[in-house]
Amino acid sequence: MPLHWKLVIDCADPHRQADFWAAALGYDVEDNSALITALLESGYVDTSLVTEHHGHRAWRDAAAVRHPDDPVDPASGTGLGRRLLFNRVPEPKPDTKNRLHIDLHTEADDRPTTVDRLTNLGATVVRHVDEPAGSWSVLKDPEGNEFCVH
């Protein structure tokens, strides 16, 4: 039986990261406002755990994006398929290389256009690689996490 999974990324600003990656991937930022409202009204959570983002109540320290074609739990707004979850952590990102990264795949002749679109969203180009094994571009997201565009 396959396992359900999500990729969790530690970060300083989960909402900025969610906005970037939703735009980069064509994903949707999850809207958990109905669940948050219900939990606030029932007293299960305190307002200190909540913020407002894009006009909706959101978790202060977490945000997620989901594939637009995957199912969603209507009660919580949580995606039930392909997801990236961004969690706020207090410590800054170390200056070491990522141990895990996201690869984005596009047609080879579309790569320059994709790289331009991602830099307009806040990514920075680290380097372009062209070697016998293939070619790709290495970029960093707004918080300095490396990812590749193939």
Side-chain angles (χ1 to χ4, degrees), residues 1-125:
M1 171 185 255
L3 297 175
H4 179 75
W5 62 272
K6 64 183 165 279
L7 179 62
V8 180
I9 301 171
D10 293 343
C11 60
D13 186 342
H15 300 285
R16 180 176 181 214
Q17 288 293 89
D19 288 344
F20 172 82
W21 283 105
L25 298 171
Y27 275 35
D28 294 331
V29 175
E30 290 183 358
D31 178 2
N32 306 121
S33 59
L35 172 65
I36 293 168
T37 297
L39 292 172
L40 285 169
E41 289 174 356
S42 66
Y44 285 116
V45 298
D46 185 81
T47 57
S48 66
L49 301 176
V50 177
T51 190
E52 186 174 308
H53 189 67
H54 296 305
H56 299 282
R57 285 181 168 159
W59 298 114
R60 183 192 67 214
D61 295 329
V65 300
R66 63 172 183 80
H67 192 284
D69 295 335
D70 289 348
V72 179
D73 177 354
S76 68
T78 300
L80 301 174
R82 296 161 280 187
R83 301 175 70 219
L84 300 176
L85 175 62
F86 303 93
N87 281 338
R88 185 183 316 275
V89 295
E91 65 276 359
K93 180 186 178 302
D95 290 334
T96 57
K97 182 174 176 14
N98 294 1
R99 302 290 290 184
L100 177 75
H101 67 266
I102 299 171
D103 278 359
L104 306 181
H105 294 269
T106 186
E107 299 298 321
D109 55 345
D110 289 339
R111 189 166 11 119
T113 303
T114 300
V115 168
D116 286 345
R117 183 176 69 82
L118 295 169
T119 57
N120 288 333
L121 291 172
T124 55
V125 175

